[in-house]
């Protein structure tokens, strides 16, 4: 496989809305106690990784996750990684939303789902994929193909990015799982993306660091003693 930069997709830790069974959307919900512990734990896993860039959704739950996981890093806010705009669905209990006529569309045919006063899921997927692909190209160009970089975002956003990497239709993205504080790893090669890890909540990440490149051994220069017996090419034998 061609050596390319490695993207780590980090979902934020658990929030108060996750715990209460609500749809947070773009509301400024914060991490709960469990979520803060998850962020600290994923920080232990990320410690020591030479991250060339760290970008984040602008929402507070992602920024809090990174503050706890990577306290010495100043992430760059990437607006295209923001949560899907659920419009009037935001703040509603999921049990109530499950009775809405739009709910089966979201679950079975999300590419056709447009949230009232909000965003189409297809638009969310397109902007999120464009964001990570453009950042990946930038990291490759500025830091080289061995670079690792991290993007912190949201469940549906990460699932949409994974669906694109797998080459599957957005209508299948509900089959993908991205738990709070999970790490998903993708490499974008010139031929195709490779999904390296999915929804990893406890594995060792040190193996993602590529080994140092081996320097090519230069062939020894030919000296006079290496000349063919009898002289140059025009000599007779």
């Amino acid at each position: 496989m061609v050596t390319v930069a490695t993207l780590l997709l980090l979902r934020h830790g658990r929030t108060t809305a996750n715990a209460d069974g609500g749809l947070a959307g773009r509301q400024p919900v914060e991490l709960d106690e469990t979520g803060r512990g998850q962020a600290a734990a994923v920080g232990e896993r990320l410690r020591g990784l030479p991250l060339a860039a760290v970008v984040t959704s602008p929402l507070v739950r992602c920024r809090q996750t990174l503050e706890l996981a990577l306290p010495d890093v100043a992430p760059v806010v990437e607006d295209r990684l923001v949560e899907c705009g659920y419009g009037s669905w935001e703040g509603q209990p999921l049990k109530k939303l499950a009775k809405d006529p739009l709910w089966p569309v979201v679950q079975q045919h999300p590419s056709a789902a447009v949230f009232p006063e909000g965003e189409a899921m297809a638009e969310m997927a397109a902007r999120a994929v464009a964001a990570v692909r453009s950042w990946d190209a930038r990291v490759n160009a500025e830091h080289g193909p061995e670079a690792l970089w991290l993007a912190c975002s949201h469940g549906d956003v990460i699932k949409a990015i994974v669906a694109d990497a797998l080459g599957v239709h957005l209508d299948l993205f509900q089959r993908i799982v991205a738990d709070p504080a999970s790490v998903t790893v993708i490499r974008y090669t010139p031929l195709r993306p490779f999904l390296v890890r999915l929804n990893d909540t406890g594995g060792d990440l040190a193996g993602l660091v590529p080994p140092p490149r081996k320097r090519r051994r230069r062939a020894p220069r030919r000296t006079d003693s290496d000349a063919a017996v009898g002289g140059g090419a025009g000599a007779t034998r």
Side-chain angles (χ1 to χ4, degrees):
M1 187 170 64
V2 178
T3 304
V4 291
T6 300
L7 163 62
L8 286 72
L9 287 166
L10 172 64
R11 187 183 173 189
H12 60 79
R14 196 179 82 165
T15 67
T16 53
N18 296 143
D20 294 339
L23 184 65
R26 297 180 181 178
Q27 294 184 326
V29 298
E30 301 190 9
L31 302 183
D32 66 3
E33 184 177 351
T34 296
R36 295 177 68 84
Q38 291 171 335
V42 79
E44 291 295 322
R45 299 172 61 208
L46 295 169
R47 183 173 298 170
L49 295 186
L51 297 173
V54 176
V55 300
T56 182
S57 158
L59 296 183
V60 64
R61 55 191 182 268
C62 286
R63 292 187 285 109
Q64 284 180 334
T65 298
L66 290 178
E67 286 170 4
L68 291 166
L70 300 170
D72 297 327
V73 172
V76 177
V77 172
E78 171 52 76
D79 290 335
R80 292 175 293 177
L81 293 177
V82 73
E83 178 65 285
C84 186
Y86 298 118
S88 61
W89 275 33
E90 293 186 359
Q92 300 293 323
L94 292 174
K95 287 183 178 180
K96 176 183 176 181
L97 295 174
K99 300 175 183 178
D100 191 294
L102 183 59
W103 183 266
V105 180
V106 173
Q107 299 303 317
Q108 301 172 25
H109 192 28
S111 66
V114 181
F115 293 98
E117 303 175 33
E119 184 179 26
M121 294 203 87
E123 292 175 351
M124 173 274 292
R127 61 157 165 87
V129 169
V132 296
R133 285 181 175 267
S134 62
W135 269 97
D136 194 74
R138 175 177 171 180
V139 170
N140 265 292
E142 295 181 0
H143 300 281
E146 288 87 7
L148 277 68
W149 69 283
L150 182 144
C152 185
S153 191
H154 310 270
D156 280 351
V157 174
I158 292 172
K159 287 158 57 178
I161 294 169
V162 170
D164 169 75
L166 290 174
V168 302
H169 199 280
L170 184 63
D171 286 346
L172 301 179
F173 100 132
Q174 296 289 23
R175 302 182 183 193
I176 299 166
V177 176
D179 288 323
S182 64
V183 176
T184 293
V185 181
I186 298 173
R187 291 191 177 112
Y188 292 98
T189 76
L191 182 62
R192 67 174 71 88
F194 286 86
L195 180 62
V196 180
R197 298 194 189 189
L198 176 63
N199 196 38
D200 187 336
T201 57
D204 183 9
L205 300 175
L208 297 174
V209 181
R213 277 188 173 184
K214 292 182 178 179
R215 293 186 177 181
R216 283 187 173 182
R217 294 183 63 184
R218 299 182 63 180
R221 295 184 61 184
R222 207 170 190 180
T223 63
D224 292 343
S225 61
D226 295 324
V229 176
T236 58
R237 292 177 178 261

